[in-house]
Amino acid sequence: MENKQNRYGVVLFETAHDAIIGEKKIREFLNVALMPIPSQFSAGCGIVLRFEPYDEERIRELLASNRIQGRIEFVRGSEDGGKPHMMVHQEGDKSNE
């Protein structure tokens, strides 16, 4: 059974400008943090915005309303405390929650 406490979402950005603006706009409403991109992903700028999974819909709304381009993915830490790894998540799929 998956430990949901280890699960988190990330927004991947193509540019550092989008990452910084995204963090600034979203931080006004939610607890988020910029961090280096997890190794299993690739994005243009190398940083992502980390957020709690329950904030996914609000993150989507804030990205859209501020016209910020970003791709949402989900990550979970491994059971042994090692590197996080990607969770399969399809757009609009709520089965991983």
Side-chain angles (χ1 to χ4, degrees):
M1 185 172 191
E2 178 184 332
N3 181 349
K4 292 191 179 203
Q5 289 181 328
N6 291 334
R7 184 171 184 257
Y8 61 92
V10 293
V11 181
L12 291 84
F13 300 97
E14 286 301 315
T15 68
H17 180 263
D18 283 344
I20 292 166
I21 296 299
E23 189 263 350
K24 181 180 177 182
K25 296 289 186 181
I26 293 170
R27 184 176 290 265
E28 293 175 22
F29 302 97
L30 300 171
N31 184 23
V32 295
L34 290 176
M35 62 179 268
I37 191 168
S39 60
Q40 70 269 28
F41 299 114
S42 63
C45 71
I47 55 176
V48 296
L49 186 66
R50 181 179 174 152
F51 65 92
E52 295 296 329
Y54 52 79
D55 287 330
E56 177 185 4
E57 291 305 315
R58 187 69 176 127
I59 293 284
R60 289 184 188 283
E61 292 169 5
L62 290 165
L63 289 171
S65 67
N66 287 286
R67 297 180 184 184
I68 299 167
Q69 296 294 315
R71 185 177 93 223
I72 293 177
E73 296 287 349
F74 289 90
V75 176
R76 66 180 168 91
S78 64
E79 301 286 321
D80 62 2
K83 288 184 181 179
H85 56 278
M86 181 171 52
M87 295 185 67
V88 176
H89 177 76
Q90 299 295 323
E91 195 70 28
D93 178 12
K94 302 293 185 197
S95 63
N96 288 328
E97 295 180 6

